[in-house]
Amino acid sequence: MSKHEKIGSGPELSRRAFMVGVSAAGVVCGMGLPGAASAEGSYSPSIWYSIGEDGLVTVNVGKADMGQHIASTMAQIVAEELGASWSHMRVNLVGNDPKYADPVLGAIITGGSWSTMMNFDTMSRAGAAGRIALIESAANKLGVKTDECQAIESRVICKNGKSMTFAEIVKGGGGEALGNQTKNLWSTKTFSADDMKKIALKTPDQYRLIGKDIPQIDIPFKVRGAAKYGIDTHIDGMVYGRIVTPPTRFGATVKSVDDSAAKSQVPGFIQAVVVVDPTKTTSGWVVAVAKTYGEAITAADLLKVDYDKGPYAGTSSESILAEAKSLQAKPDVGVYYIKEGDAPGALAKAAKVIEAEYTTELNIHCPMEPMNCTAEIKDGTLHLYSGNQFMTRSTAIAAGAIGMDPKNVVIHQAWLGGGFGRRLDSDMFVPAAVAAKATGLPVKVIYSREHDMQMDFTRPLTYQKVRAGVDDNGKLIAVDHDLVSAWPTARWGIPGFLTPAVDKKGVLDGFAVHGADFYYSVGNHTIRTILNELAQNATPSGQLRSVAPGWTFWAVESMIDEVAHATGQDPAAFRLSLLDGKGDNDGAQRLANTLRAAMGLAGYNSLKLPKGEGMGVACVSSQERKTSTWTAAIAHVVVADDGTVKVKKLTVATDVGIAVNPDGIRAQVVGGASWGLSLAMYEKATMKDGAIEQTNFDTYTPLRMADVPEIDVAIIANGDEYPRGVGEPAVTVIAPALANAIYNAVGARVRSLPITPEAVKAGMKKA
């Protein structure tokens, strides 16, 4: 793919249809309006940034920044083409104004590792348009031709030795050289959408900022404690709301509320508000509203709420898994995501068939900043203060919860103290908005850690059955893959996010199956995806960092390893033989290269390991095929006799195309690999009697610092290739690499996440 080719064509990413009132074409046109005034004394070459009279460039960021530094990345892209000094760059997190919608998706959303790849072209052209206008203005004032000038370090420098700073240009506008024309030259300079497309962007050899380890803009003010998170919001006259949640995750209703104890014992108690939510984002919630946060907590504890627990009160993890297995056993349920060749026929004729079942448990997001929202209804407008990843949907949810026109909802974006997909959902907006409407006061709602965990939109429990067939020469000839789970994206009710089934029997949630459509060349391949309605209703699922590839590659890369061992082939060499790029597998060679890079860096097949140690390999194309970031990992483990696994080292290689900020990419890969390790070996949530059992970090136990291994990262920066996302791919490759390493160490094959010492020891006995 060429550097200037945009990501986003094709049915998997054609999302515009589901958005009302937002046009991607309009956004592109809006970018090209040099001369649009913003604050007095500043110049806005584009909706995406403005330049002040002091020369400072403020980039408007329509992406949620949850520690991945995407705001800095957007600023770095603009600064490169604009020719600005990095020390002059600032960022501004924008709200839910539709003009800031993603130019590809047509929505204000942050997820899928899409932000850089889907905005690189837009932000580059915005910066370039400003550079053109500034150079033209300076050239006119200085009496030189525009092709004799260039913009470097916030200064237009001309061949005759003369120069002007951006600040000087903005202050003066080049007016003296224009005679009777308007003072601000750029106020008459506009760029149409076609003009924007024709702008010649820099080639990688011309980059001054992109590809450099530039300090992240947000770190200094976060270190100083000056960054404002949603939880930091304060409004004069604000009161507090404490939610009371039902004994089941979803489906409960409130029968009655006795607030007499709260009234008599809490002086600042205001009201108990029953949340009746037409959007069905929440069910069975009550908000205790009081003058102080402490009083709200006390009042909530004193409320006596009588519930109808709803239809899912008897649901458990075990019953969800049993339902999944029952569904998979029925040949006439589900729909097909992939149906290539004749997999059943090829399996029937195969010399050997390898079959296995793979499962994952419920997983919780648990960001450090718990869910929160402050809501105020003022002059007919609902103002919401929070950190959010999907403003377009969240606007509709908040409006629907209180029967308001979405046009009258304003979201004030904050920095996110962790998101990881959790803040794609909007439940925190509902109790705050409902309470604000009921009381007529600004209400700040903060979840407790217990609320945050028990009401999380979890990564779903999944069950997968995979059959693979090989011929007499050990060649893989067929793969049949069944996947049963909740469908997180289908829960959103947005048709444009669903994918037509290839068997034309309806639609499916592609974000529950992406990754199963691997880049290996196999002539006969079927993927059947089945919605587990019980899981869908009892455990409303969300998008947790890595989405479907977090479980699909667990099955795919484990099975590929099992086939390699069953046929006496080296797992890495076997993968490389399948990554030949034939058919619809263009890009497979890039994946093969990352695998070779990881093998070389880790010393795979060259180090002699002692008994009980092993290396395992996995390679993935996360996130979706159209937005792949080719990533490979080698896991090095030590397995004790009791099945305890110690991870010595993780080696990850990733092909990111243009590497905007290598240091930031490295941090993302390390963070993703750490999260992948955490999901693979430590994290597990369970449902019992319709409720999530884990309530805090004593029972839900993510990776601890003492268990973090050495992590070595190789960034493959292809300067001629479009930039790719890095927030999630490393998450998806770790679990299968670990399982494969464990097998190589002690012969134990584990097929369920998280990997436990008990499962490893049981596998050792079988071996």
Side-chain angles (χ1 to χ4, degrees), residues 624-638:
E624 300 92 43
R625 277 182 76 100
K626 288 183 179 293
T627 60
S628 297
T629 300
W630 296 271
T631 305
I634 307 293
H636 183 176
V637 304
V638 180

Side-chain angles (χ1 to χ4, degrees), residues 365-713:
H365 296 81
C366 50
M368 287 297 95
E369 180 196 11
M371 298 302 104
N372 63 84
C373 179
T374 301
E376 179 182 31
I377 300 176
K378 188 175 181 179
D379 299 327
T381 297
L382 172 62
H383 293 268
L384 299 164
Y385 300 82
S386 189
N388 188 256
Q389 291 180 245
F390 197 171
M391 291 204 196
T392 307
R393 177 172 179 261
S394 298
T395 299
I397 293 290
I402 61 172
M404 179 177 280
D405 190 324
K407 293 179 181 178
N408 296 327
V409 176
V410 176
I411 299 176
H412 302 266
Q413 179 72 306
W415 297 92
L416 281 62
F420 320 116
R422 176 62 180 91
R423 286 179 162 91
L424 285 165
D425 278 291
S426 320
D427 52 300
M428 72 292 293
F429 286 12
V430 174
V434 170
K437 182 179 180 181
T439 63
L441 298 167
V443 180
K444 182 176 185 176
V445 171
I446 305 172
Y447 289 21
S448 67
R449 178 60 60 192
E450 289 75 14
H451 294 145
D452 213 22
M453 286 193 171
Q454 293 185 294
M455 293 294 130
D456 186 44
F457 291 88
T458 55
R459 184 169 95 163
L461 184 155
T462 69
Y463 170 75
Q464 299 175 80
K465 187 168 185 177
V466 186
R467 295 188 301 153
V470 297
D471 63 15
D472 291 328
N473 297 316
K475 180 182 178 181
L476 184 63
I477 59 172
V479 173
D480 180 56
H481 188 168
D482 287 346
L483 194 164
V484 190
S485 71
W487 288 1
T489 318
R491 179 180 60 79
W492 291 351
I494 303 174
F497 262 149
L498 300 179
T499 303
V502 297
D503 56 2
K504 303 186 185 304
K505 293 184 178 180
V507 294
L508 56 89
D509 183 354
F511 294 94
V513 71
H514 287 318
D517 52 339
F518 48 65
Y519 273 84
Y520 299 122
S521 290
V522 179
N524 306 285
H525 187 199
T526 57
I527 303 172
R528 180 172 61 134
T529 178
I530 303 168
L531 172 62
N532 187 335
E533 292 278 7
L534 178 61
Q536 187 81 346
N537 294 314
T539 60
S541 297
Q543 314 291 8
L544 187 145
R545 186 177 184 180
S546 79
V547 195
W551 59 82
T552 57
F553 280 120
W554 163 238
V556 168
E557 286 300 292
S558 294
M559 174 53 73
I560 291 294
D561 224 69
E562 295 202 42
V563 173
H565 283 286
T567 55
Q569 301 179 68
D570 174 78
F574 182 58
R575 285 172 168 82
L576 291 172
S577 71
L578 296 172
L579 293 171
D580 55 20
K582 293 180 179 178
D584 191 32
N585 291 318
D586 182 40
Q589 291 299 331
R590 293 178 72 175
L591 182 54
N593 287 338
T594 64
L595 178 54
R596 294 186 184 100
M599 292 167 63
L601 192 60
Y604 182 85
N605 279 343
S606 63
L607 294 178
K608 291 185 178 180
L609 303 180
K611 182 181 179 182
E613 291 192 23
M615 285 188 181
V617 59
C619 58
V620 301
S621 55
S622 295
Q623 283 303 101
E624 300 92 43
R625 277 182 76 100
K626 288 183 179 293
T627 60
S628 297
T629 300
W630 296 271
T631 305
I634 307 293
H636 183 176
V637 304
V638 180
V639 184
D641 291 340
D642 63 356
T644 302
V645 177
K646 177 179 175 59
V647 182
K648 289 188 67 173
K649 184 178 180 181
L650 297 173
T651 303
V652 183
T654 185
D655 180 345
V656 301
I658 296 172
V660 176
N661 189 321
D663 184 61
I665 292 169
R666 194 171 294 106
Q668 284 284 78
V669 174
V670 169
S674 299
W675 196 304
L677 173 58
S678 188
L679 290 167
M681 298 191 65
Y682 299 99
E683 297 186 38
K684 178 181 178 180
T686 53
M687 172 164 275
K688 182 179 180 181
D689 297 329
I692 300 296
E693 293 188 278
Q694 291 68 31
T695 61
N696 214 311
F697 291 117
D698 57 338
T699 49
Y700 191 80
T701 55
L703 177 72
R704 265 48 175 182
M705 290 182 69
D707 298 314
V708 177
E710 177 186 355
I711 302 177
D712 207 352
V713 177

